[in-house]
Amino acid sequence: QAVMFEPVPKNIQRIREHLELNSLTDRVVLVPKAVSSAEGAARFVVPLDVDTPSVGRIIRGCEVPEGFEEIVVAVTTIDDEVPIDMAIDVVKIDIEGHERVALDGAIRLIERQRPTVLVEVLDDNLEALEVLKALNYSCLRLDDRNVLCRPAGV
């Protein structure tokens, strides 16, 4: 079974359609929220010029970047959404620079289950790796964006 998070309404609808088409609704739990370090709501921007806004992201400043529109999305933590008894082998996080905060909201799961973590880390958000290293993970850069982190000694 898998748990996936998606906050953008257009994407949620498309994902639901694909889960249905591929008979995966019993194996994939879709949580229609963004992930962060706490529950609540957040300002989120999505591109104006694409049908499926896959490069949307939470914004912290006052300005909405040119070519984007702002929406408000529900926010949760991975720890609050993933059932404590669900076995988690792999966590993949690629959320446009918000990876560190998402990992902060997954600390209990990571400490308890010790999953492999595949995370997108650009040069401006290397602090995401510090969260995992503090939890005794070893990280290997796979390419210019993706880092594979596993519990030390595995």
Side-chain angles (χ1 to χ4, degrees), residues 24-135:
L24 294 172
T25 55
D26 61 331
R27 297 195 325 222
V28 178
V29 176
L30 174 58
V31 179
K33 299 177 182 177
V35 291
S36 194
S37 58
E39 288 194 20
R43 296 173 60 222
F44 200 89
V45 293
V46 293
L48 291 170
D49 63 346
V50 293
D51 230 0
T52 305
S54 61
V55 294
R57 63 184 180 271
I58 289 177
I59 56 172
R60 295 180 194 98
C62 298
E63 301 279 326
V64 174
E66 187 173 330
F68 286 79
E69 67 175 325
E70 181 180 332
I71 61 175
V72 175
V73 299
V75 176
T76 192
T77 70
I78 293 170
D79 282 336
D80 287 339
E81 296 293 336
V82 176
I84 196 164
D85 60 345
M86 178 183 272
I88 302 296
D89 296 319
V90 177
V91 173
K92 181 182 185 308
I93 300 177
D94 177 358
I95 50 178
E96 308 306 320
H98 203 66
E99 289 80 8
R100 162 65 194 260
V101 183
L103 287 168
D104 286 342
I107 295 294
R108 290 191 317 258
L109 180 140
I110 293 168
E111 288 178 332
R112 184 177 64 249
Q113 305 241 1
R114 308 298 288 164
T116 297
V117 180
L118 180 60
V119 60
E120 181 183 65
V121 179
L122 302 177
D123 290 338
D124 61 348
N125 70 341
L126 291 172
E127 69 274 3
L129 297 181
E130 298 308 315
V131 172
L132 294 166
K133 289 178 181 176
L135 294 169

